[in-house]
Amino acid sequence: MILKRKRIIFYVLTLLLSGFILLTAFISFFPESMLDREFSEEVQEHQHPLLDALMKAISFPGQRPYSIIMIALGSLSFLVFRLKREALFMLFTSLSGLISHSLKILIDRPRPTDSFVRIIEKAEHQSFPSGHVLFYVIFFGFLVVLMYHLKTIPKPVRLFISAVALFLIFTIPLSRIYLGAHWFTDVTAAFLLGLICLFFLSYFYLKKRT
């Protein structure tokens, strides 16, 4: 049973990594693909000031220095309740910034331009992979893992935090495309990479914990 579970995990991780590598190769040959353009057109087809504000609000926590502040506050909150291990692992989620920044420099894909999409939020640095999506999957994903395992926290609190975290994880890809900051392949690759990083972060946390 354990061997079968490990085999399934290996296949899933291999599939996620293969998807990320294939997307990286794809955008290297087609930096402004028709797939990305059409997807952006579909997402930006329905525009409204309220929707603009909502999408900006979803992306807001992922901007620096707010993302760093959020990690620090999250870690401090666990530390206050003497959950030192959880506080430490929350700090490890900050490595998502280093990972995304390194890959952006290495791959060097330009951001979408206003000749192809509507730019609602001007973004800096390179486009691939999306740093926002990578950060949300790792940080908020790990927060969901913690809320599932920390039974000492009241259940309504755990459910509320998990619901907000999952909402942000699954809406941030659309937010980044809607705002004109990223292409579809940027957010998809970041989501796949984020899941891989989240697995290893959760694995080492749960392994020592059990």
Side-chain angles (χ1 to χ4, degrees):
M1 185 68 179
I2 295 177
L3 183 61
K4 183 179 179 181
R5 186 182 301 174
K6 287 183 177 180
R7 192 175 298 159
I8 292 173
I9 292 173
F10 173 77
Y11 289 148
V12 170
L13 289 175
T14 302
L15 186 63
L16 293 174
L17 182 59
S18 299
F20 176 78
I21 293 173
L22 287 173
L23 282 173
T24 304
F26 177 78
I27 65 102
S28 297
F29 289 103
F30 308 101
E32 294 177 349
S33 68
M34 187 62 68
L35 170 68
D36 282 324
R37 295 186 196 179
E38 290 184 357
F39 200 93
S40 291
E41 288 178 4
E42 288 295 325
V43 172
Q44 292 188 328
E45 184 178 4
H46 304 287
Q47 300 174 6
H48 192 276
L50 290 178
L51 192 55
D52 291 358
L54 174 62
M55 291 302 178
K56 287 181 180 180
I58 291 172
S59 287
F60 181 76
Q63 299 173 2
R64 293 181 181 178
Y66 308 111
S67 58
I68 299 173
I69 294 173
M70 191 162 53
I71 293 172
L73 289 177
S75 181
L76 183 61
S77 298
F78 285 111
L79 197 59
V80 167
F81 291 99
R82 298 184 178 181
L83 297 170
K84 297 179 181 179
R85 182 171 175 76
E86 287 72 15
L88 176 63
F89 272 79
M90 284 297 291
L91 288 178
F92 287 156
T93 62
S94 62
L95 293 175
S96 63
L98 177 63
I99 295 171
S100 65
H101 188 66
S102 300
L103 289 172
K104 284 175 185 290
I105 294 175
L106 182 64
I107 298 169
D108 195 26
R109 186 189 196 185
R111 293 273 183 178
T113 60
D114 54 10
S115 58
F116 295 117
V117 300
R118 175 180 176 233
I119 306 296
I120 302 173
E121 182 179 280
K122 188 71 175 178
E124 299 178 351
H125 308 300
Q126 294 82 353
S127 183
F128 187 96
S130 168
H132 273 72
V133 174
L134 184 63
F135 170 68
Y136 277 43
V137 173
I138 297 175
F139 177 81
F140 291 110
F142 188 63
L143 197 56
V144 172
V145 172
L146 292 179
M147 292 303 102
Y148 179 80
H149 288 279
L150 295 176
K151 305 301 183 182
T152 55
I153 299 176
K155 189 174 182 179
V157 176
R158 291 190 288 119
L159 289 175
F160 175 76
I161 293 175
S162 297
V164 173
L166 289 172
F167 172 79
L168 291 172
I169 289 172
F170 289 108
T171 55
I172 189 60
L174 286 177
S175 170
R176 302 311 290 162
I177 297 173
Y178 181 89
L179 295 175
H182 283 287
W183 297 112
F184 168 75
T185 46
D186 295 337
V187 299
T188 304
F191 206 95
L192 297 177
L193 184 60
L195 290 176
I196 296 172
C197 295
L198 177 60
F199 168 80
F200 284 106
L201 184 65
S202 302
Y203 171 79
F204 286 112
Y205 166 73
L206 295 173
K207 182 180 180 181
K208 189 68 179 290
R209 186 173 183 268
T210 54

